[in-house]
Amino acid sequence: MENFNEHESERPRDSGYARNEFIAPEKHSGPGIASFIVSLLAGIGYIVLIILSTAVLANKLAALPDLTIENIEQLQQTPELVTVILFVGLGMLGAFVTSLIALVLGIIGLLQKNRKKAFAITGTILSGIMVGIPLLFFLLSMGMGRI
């Protein structure tokens, strides 16, 4: 016959925890933190590229004696300006792809169970904005050609 103790029957069986074991608090989601950091870097990239392109264009326009169509067409063929436009365009494309990566990381962070979601939510929102605005401009520009 089995030894039966009344107190043992009151203890929950198979709880997975020892009696006095400390339950650790939830940690932040790793992909959520990565999403937040990557979206911040992409945002900084967008801002730097916009400032750079504005500064170069303002410098080139200030060097023109007057703003006529002929001077602006000449300016468009300046190798320095073409290089800057190419650099800024590729940089914007890189920042867009980086924002897409941050968006995916944020979604992965949101789907993790037993993790804090603050960084994942913030990274997803920031990267969603940085993906959504260029897409909106692209769609609007595609629609402008049809008018």
Side-chain angles (χ1 to χ4, degrees), residues 72-121:
I72 293 176
E73 286 176 356
Q74 242 179 355
L75 183 64
Q76 288 176 344
Q77 296 174 3
T78 308
E80 299 146 356
L81 189 63
V82 172
T83 304
V84 169
I85 291 171
L86 180 66
F87 174 73
V88 168
L90 289 175
M92 289 286 185
L93 184 63
F96 180 79
V97 170
T98 305
S99 296
L100 277 176
I101 292 169
L103 184 64
V104 170
L105 286 171
I107 292 170
I108 290 170
L110 288 173
L111 295 176
Q112 285 186 329
K113 296 192 185 298
N114 301 327
R115 297 290 182 162
K116 291 183 181 179
K117 309 269 192 259
F119 283 113
I121 291 170

